[in-house]
Amino acid sequence: MVDRAPPQAYRPPPWELLALIAVIALFEILLELADRSILFDPSLRGRVYVAGAFWSGLLHGATPVFALQPYTMFISHALLHGGFLHMAMNLAVLAGLGKYVGERYGAGAILPTFVVGALGGGAVFGALSTAPLPMVGASGAVFAFLGVWIVSDWRRLRDRGATIRPVLTRVLTLAALNVAFFFALSGMLAWEAHLGGFLAGVLCGVILENRRDARTRRALAAARGARDPRLH
């Protein structure tokens, strides 16, 4: 007779993740309705892009629409997308990896990872891209979650004494997919934002893993102290 492990209870996604997804989806739904002249008018998407997309030129002397735009665009670009399919692809990955990050490190890690990824993606895009076109999308922030996942998987394999080859394979696969999509989209892929978000995510992953390890060590020390009063 084979014993079966009891099924794990379903854990709903953290509300922080659901709220983030809802805000991003709401922006795109409103713009889609405007595109179809159902709500507002078709010029809305263009006007929103002017104010909220990431414009590299603003870092090199271009005149902003408002004073804080060169700063706000580092976050606002991650809340906008180029269409419903673009948004759906990003949110699908964000939902899965965001839930993983919330379960491993706590729900409080989700929004900081998103923000740091958006900032990192914008920073590297602004530093490397000279394109006059705007950049929109949460993919830089999504790649931050990929970076956190890569670091956590590397730590897990390292602690077990297993080979880290699967982690290296995933990194190379991500790089290859970016190259393939870059050519498939005729150069319209903001790979710079992906790179910046991923590097920011790796940094976040190292910090989050170190904090998790420290909490584990404290918990083990407290448990040993409870068993042996002489340690107090």
Side-chain angles (χ1 to χ4, degrees):
M1 180 177 181
V2 178
D3 293 332
R4 294 184 179 181
Q8 294 184 348
Y10 171 74
R11 296 180 181 179
W15 72 265
E16 291 91 340
L17 177 61
L18 295 177
L20 179 60
I21 290 174
V23 169
I24 294 173
L26 178 61
F27 277 126
E28 183 55 37
I29 290 171
L30 291 176
L31 294 180
E32 289 283 344
L33 292 174
D35 291 342
R36 291 164 173 73
S37 299
I38 298 175
L39 188 65
F40 307 113
D41 66 83
S43 69
L44 179 64
R45 185 180 294 271
R47 289 185 282 119
V48 169
Y49 283 1
V50 167
F54 193 99
W55 299 87
S56 295
L58 293 177
L59 303 177
H60 306 287
T63 303
V65 176
F66 55 95
L68 294 179
Q69 188 182 9
Y71 306 99
T72 59
M73 69 178 183
F74 278 87
I75 298 297
S76 60
H77 80 272
L79 304 177
L80 305 173
H81 287 84
F84 190 84
L85 179 60
H86 183 206
M87 178 203 69
M89 292 173 61
N90 278 333
L91 292 190
V93 181
L94 178 62
L97 291 178
K99 188 172 185 291
Y100 170 79
V101 168
E103 290 177 350
R104 185 169 178 85
Y105 307 109
I110 294 174
L111 291 181
T113 300
F114 185 90
V115 170
V116 170
L119 293 174
V124 174
F125 182 84
L128 299 182
S129 176
T130 58
L133 297 175
M135 185 268 288
V136 294
S139 55
V142 167
F143 265 78
F145 286 88
L146 284 167
V148 172
W149 175 53
I150 289 293
V151 171
S152 69
D153 210 26
W154 177 80
R155 286 283 185 94
R156 179 181 60 83
L157 293 174
R158 185 202 64 179
D159 293 344
R160 289 169 49 190
T163 177
I164 62 170
R165 185 175 300 172
V167 175
L168 298 178
T169 300
R170 291 189 191 103
V171 173
L172 292 176
T173 301
L174 285 173
L177 287 174
N178 270 269
V179 172
F181 277 113
F182 178 81
F183 287 105
L185 296 174
S186 302
M188 295 299 290
L189 181 75
W191 63 268
E192 303 92 340
H194 295 180
L195 175 61
F198 181 78
L199 294 177
V202 168
L203 177 60
C204 281
V206 171
I207 294 173
L208 291 170
E209 280 293 318
N210 288 344
R211 289 181 177 176
R212 186 173 186 270
D213 289 346
R215 287 196 299 268
T216 301
R217 288 193 297 268
R218 288 195 297 267
L220 291 174
R224 287 194 298 267
R227 290 195 302 266
D228 189 352
R230 292 172 299 176
L231 296 179
H232 289 285

